[in-house]
């Protein structure tokens, strides 16, 4: 593996390698990526020869950049395609051990320091409309890997950082985002916000405990469990819609699982399994607001049913410690996790890597 160090104009200053033949050796490194935020960070410790300390400190000055690469060159190549670019935020020199430890952030994090003002919007707009509005004059282009055509009425009465605003908008439309950068001749020429329906692909690969996986921690919770939800939504004009006086069409719930009483959607199956042991009304209730535009009560009912199906069983989350992470699996990809002893056989999406 090779790291390239660059100044503020992205002119290459030097490099470090995992090879013992290098004057600058990468002793430890950790790259963290998060699907939810679309951002990543990078930490590493570089060992140097004592006489080169001042030169290396100059290369690793906070504000300079790191380009992550391998023996064949910078990651993803360099000519007109995306590369991993990080800005050095902190640098700490340990002269006794001849080491410099740095912490760097995805260049996309520069948007954290840009403010997005409030916007008293009253129109029902698309995802593209909102992103173009807030990304104007940032120096970033937008690449849409989605045909999402939903419309929503979103408005803000306060100021936030631009990255927080973008994350909020993308989440409202059930999408995900990341940042990428185009490098030409070892110079950063373009910056992009990428928007996806979902990041990653289904790799079909199997990762097993005792081989690629060191441990699988299983977390179970009923903190968000509900057997009934009181639901509200909005139509395209922003008017509130509920399920009061709505009746489920005949034949649409043939097994009699779902019923609506006083505007509340209830699951008979969930009630038979999870009803409270005391009280006259033993349903477990939850209030839920549908963020999507629902033109009719029927549309709202279908959305509410989807949500109730998700919350009527306990949440189960798995934290997987991968010791041999395959190079061809990326954050956002789906893979198969196998733990024979725990009888765990799941297909999961990699949302965070550290």
């Amino acid at each position: 593996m090779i790291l390239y160090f660059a100044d503020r104009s992205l002119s290459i200053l030097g490099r470090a390698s995992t090879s013992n033949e290098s004057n600058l050796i990468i002793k430890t490194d950790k790259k963290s990526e998060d699907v939810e935020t679309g951002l990543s960070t990078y930490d590493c410790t570089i060992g140097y020869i004592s006489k080169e300390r001042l030169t290396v400190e100059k290369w690793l000055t906070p504000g300079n950049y790191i380009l992550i690469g391998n023996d064949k060159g910078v990651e993803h190549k360099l000519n007109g395609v995306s590369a991993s670019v990080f800005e050095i935020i902190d640098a700490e020199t340990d002269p006794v051990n001849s080491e410099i430890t740095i912490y760097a952030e995805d260049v996309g994090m520069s948007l954290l320091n840009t403010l997005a003002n409030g916007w008293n919007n009253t129109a029902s707009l698309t995802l593209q409309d909102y992103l173009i509005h807030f990304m104007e004059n940032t120096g970033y282009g937008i690449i849409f890997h989605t045909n999402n055509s939903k419309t929503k009425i979103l408005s803000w009465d306060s100021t936030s950082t631009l990255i927080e605003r973008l994350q909020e908008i993308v989440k409202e439309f059930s999408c995900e985002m990341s940042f990428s950068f185009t490098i030409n001749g070892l110079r950063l020429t373009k910056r992009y916000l990428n928007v996806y329906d979902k990041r990653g692909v289904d790799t079909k690969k199997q990762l097993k405990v005792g081989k690629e996986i060191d441990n699988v921690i299983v977390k179970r919770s009923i903190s968000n469990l509900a057997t009934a939800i009181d639901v509200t939504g909005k139509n395209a004009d922003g008017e509130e819609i509920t399920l009061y006086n709505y009746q489920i069409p005949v034949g649409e719930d043939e097994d009699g699982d779902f019923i609506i009483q006083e505007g509340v959607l209830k699951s008979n199956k969930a009630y038979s399994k999870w009803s409270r042991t005391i009280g006259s009304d033993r349903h477990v209730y939850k209030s839920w607001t549908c963020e999507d535009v629902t033109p009719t009560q029927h549309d709202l009912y279908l959305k509410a049913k989807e949500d109730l199906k998700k919350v009527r069983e306990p949440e189960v989350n798995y934290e997987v410690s991968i010791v041999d992470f395959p190079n061809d699996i990326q954050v956002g990809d789906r893979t198969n996790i196998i733990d024979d002893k725990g009888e765990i056989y799941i297909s999961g999406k990699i949302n965070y890597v550290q």
Side-chain angles (χ1 to χ4, degrees):
M1 175 181 176
I2 297 175
L3 296 182
Y4 292 86
F5 309 118
D7 61 20
R8 297 294 291 178
S9 63
L10 228 77
S11 297
I12 300 301
L13 303 172
R15 69 180 191 171
S17 170
T18 51
S19 170
N20 290 328
E21 298 177 358
S22 173
N23 288 336
L24 297 182
I25 299 175
I26 305 168
K27 291 188 172 182
T28 63
D29 77 319
K30 180 177 69 176
K31 183 180 179 183
S32 301
E33 297 183 69
D34 192 334
V35 167
E36 183 174 350
T37 64
L39 299 173
S40 55
T41 60
Y42 184 73
D43 302 80
C44 72
T45 298
I46 306 295
Y48 60 86
I49 298 174
S50 295
K51 66 180 182 179
E52 296 184 351
R53 171 183 170 180
L54 296 180
T55 298
V56 178
E57 283 184 325
K58 182 178 179 180
W59 291 353
L60 300 182
T61 296
N64 283 353
Y65 295 110
I66 295 174
L67 285 71
I68 297 180
N70 53 42
D71 292 337
K72 295 180 181 180
V74 175
E75 186 179 17
H76 304 308
K77 302 179 183 178
L78 284 174
N79 297 316
V81 294
S82 297
S84 295
V85 183
F86 294 83
E87 182 178 16
I88 301 173
I89 304 300
D90 300 310
E92 179 179 301
T93 302
D94 178 353
V96 172
N97 294 303
S98 297
E99 295 177 349
I100 295 182
T101 299
I102 59 174
Y103 165 74
E105 295 180 343
D106 188 326
V107 179
M109 283 189 170
S110 63
L111 295 178
L112 281 167
N113 299 320
T114 302
L115 294 180
N117 295 322
W119 182 19
N120 185 24
N121 172 53
T122 58
S124 185
L125 303 176
T126 65
L127 169 65
Q128 289 89 334
D129 293 331
Y130 287 111
L131 293 180
I132 290 172
H133 174 84
F134 285 107
M135 292 293 287
E136 188 177 10
N137 300 322
T138 63
Y140 281 75
I142 308 175
I143 301 177
F144 292 99
H145 305 271
T146 172
N147 294 318
N148 192 312
S149 59
K150 296 178 182 177
T151 61
K152 290 176 176 286
I153 300 175
L154 303 177
S155 64
W156 297 267
D157 56 10
S158 61
T159 299
S160 68
T161 63
L162 180 53
I163 193 69
E164 291 171 336
R165 184 66 51 81
L166 297 177
Q167 290 167 354
E168 180 183 353
I169 293 169
V170 170
K171 186 176 181 179
E172 285 282 352
F173 284 88
S174 301
C175 289
E176 297 172 349
M177 70 181 194
S178 70
F179 294 93
S180 64
F181 310 90
T182 297
I183 304 295
N184 275 306
L186 293 181
R187 290 186 179 275
L188 189 153
T189 56
K190 294 181 181 180
R191 307 178 182 192
Y192 297 103
L193 169 69
N194 299 282
V195 185
Y196 316 81
D197 287 318
K198 295 293 179 184
R199 289 179 63 183
V201 298
D202 188 349
T203 66
K204 308 293 184 183
K205 291 184 178 295
Q206 295 184 350
L207 305 181
K208 297 182 178 181
V209 171
K211 292 185 178 180
E212 299 88 355
I213 296 174
D214 178 54
N215 194 15
V216 178
I217 297 175
V218 185
K219 296 183 178 181
R220 299 179 175 89
S221 175
I222 61 169
S223 60
N224 294 317
L225 185 140
T227 63
I229 57 174
D230 185 7
V231 59
T232 58
K234 290 184 178 180
N235 61 22
D237 296 324
E239 300 170 334
E240 184 176 274
I241 295 179
T242 69
L243 294 181
Y244 274 90
N245 300 319
Y246 177 75
Q247 293 184 348
I248 299 173
V250 176
E252 207 164 287
D253 186 26
E254 295 178 355
D255 59 2
D257 183 7
F258 296 98
I259 60 172
I260 297 174
Q261 295 177 334
E262 296 183 354
V264 178
L265 180 63
K266 301 178 179 181
S267 168
N268 289 321
K269 290 182 179 179
Y271 178 81
S272 64
K273 188 175 182 179
W274 298 105
S275 60
R276 301 184 187 278
T277 56
I278 57 176
S280 56
D281 187 349
R282 296 186 294 168
H283 265 289
V284 182
Y285 288 91
K286 169 191 171 184
S287 294
W288 181 69
T289 300
C290 181
E291 299 297 337
D292 293 329
V293 174
T294 48
T296 67
Q297 285 185 306
H298 182 66
D299 295 319
L300 181 61
Y301 158 68
L302 294 176
K303 292 289 185 180
K305 185 165 68 170
E306 289 178 13
D307 185 75
L308 184 51
K309 286 181 178 180
K310 295 176 183 177
V311 301
R312 64 181 179 178
E313 293 293 339
E315 289 182 1
V316 182
N317 292 295
Y318 302 89
E319 290 185 3
V320 181
S321 177
I322 303 176
V323 293
D324 185 13
F325 196 86
N327 292 328
D328 54 351
I329 296 180
Q330 306 295 325
V331 172
D333 285 349
R334 180 172 291 276
T335 188
N336 299 312
I337 306 298
I338 298 175
D339 179 4
D340 289 322
K341 290 184 178 180
E343 296 185 354
I344 297 173
Y345 308 98
I346 57 175
S347 175
K349 181 176 180 179
I350 300 173
N351 287 323
Y352 183 79
V353 172
Q354 185 178 70

